[in-house]
Amino acid sequence: MARREMREDRLGSALTWCRHGKDGNMATIVAEKFLDQYRESVMLPSVDVLDALGPTMLLMSKKLLFLVKLREFHQLVDTGEEKEACSLLVALIKSRTAPARYWFLLILELLPMLESSKVLFTPDEIYDLMNAVTELKQSKSEEMMNELEVSRIQTLHLSLTRCLAKVTLSDSNALVAISCDV
């Protein structure tokens, strides 16, 4: 049933059938389809089904776990819990729960938060993101990247550098304030 639902592009229904049948392999295939749609539109389909998945189902598929955590990221952003959302996405990249082919898109989703006037990242999180961008850049030779990808990578490097400077200044100002109180 899950295969039929997936062929008819009813991914939420297909995932529900996977859950009932406890079919981790099929759930991984359906999760991959969800992620393909996310990559195309930067929106998650059938979020109500993702919200209803139980913990047992998440243990059956690493891609499904990533998909649910991506949904959690969007919920955190929607509720204004940006710092927690940033930490979650960085952890998904650092732990490699997020497949490398999605890193670029995920880091682009963080761009508005990197540029925020609020301090939403720790220095370690910024370094983790810098390492991920560097790894992405090294995985593709510059000749294979189109102009837009090169420009986006440069933009990400610049945003990460500015964010690191902001965090460093914020930390040093906090230290000065503490030492003045002593």
Side-chain angles (χ1 to χ4, degrees):
M1 289 298 284
R3 283 190 200 284
R4 188 181 82 204
E5 295 295 319
M6 193 173 73
R7 274 193 305 273
E8 295 177 12
D9 208 30
R10 292 195 296 252
L11 299 181
S13 182
L15 199 52
T16 300
W17 280 107
C18 291
R19 186 178 74 198
H20 290 303
K22 296 184 174 127
D23 187 347
N25 292 332
M26 191 63 194
T28 298
I29 294 167
V30 174
E32 190 65 45
K33 285 282 214 185
F34 265 89
L35 291 169
D36 287 344
Q37 285 188 7
Y38 168 73
R39 191 171 22 186
E40 291 171 15
S41 66
V42 195
M43 290 185 64
L44 290 171
S46 303
V47 292
D48 52 333
V49 174
L50 295 176
D51 292 341
L53 290 176
T56 306
M57 193 69 187
L58 299 181
L59 296 174
M60 298 169 99
S61 168
K62 188 175 178 182
K63 284 211 171 87
L64 195 53
L65 174 63
F66 166 57
L67 188 59
V68 169
K69 290 297 183 182
L70 186 57
R71 167 67 178 145
E72 186 180 331
F73 163 78
H74 285 279
Q75 287 176 312
L76 289 168
V77 170
D78 290 346
T79 59
E81 298 175 69
E82 293 172 320
K83 189 166 182 54
E84 293 81 3
C86 295
S87 293
L88 175 61
L89 219 53
V90 171
L92 289 173
I93 293 170
K94 184 179 179 182
S95 69
R96 298 183 183 273
T97 300
R101 69 178 173 271
Y102 295 102
W103 290 2
F104 191 72
L105 182 59
L106 297 176
I107 297 170
L108 282 176
E109 284 220 44
L110 289 173
L111 199 54
M113 290 169 255
L114 287 166
E115 295 292 332
S116 170
S117 61
K118 296 183 265 180
V119 175
L120 300 172
F121 296 88
T122 67
D124 287 341
E125 289 171 336
I126 297 168
Y127 285 124
D128 290 336
L129 291 172
M130 286 177 160
N131 287 334
V133 171
T134 300
E135 193 174 322
L136 284 173
K137 189 176 175 185
Q138 289 173 346
S139 70
K140 274 185 158 181
S141 66
E142 292 222 17
E143 299 83 42
M144 292 182 69
M145 285 192 274
N146 63 35
E147 228 175 278
L148 181 61
E149 287 175 313
V150 171
S151 173
R152 284 182 172 172
I153 285 178
Q154 290 170 340
T155 300
L156 287 175
H157 272 294
L158 183 60
S159 291
L160 288 164
T161 303
R162 278 196 300 253
C163 188
L164 183 60
K166 176 177 55 182
V167 169
T168 303
L169 286 172
S170 173
D171 286 350
S172 65
N173 287 342
L175 288 174
V176 168
I178 291 171
S179 65
C180 289
D181 289 340
V182 176

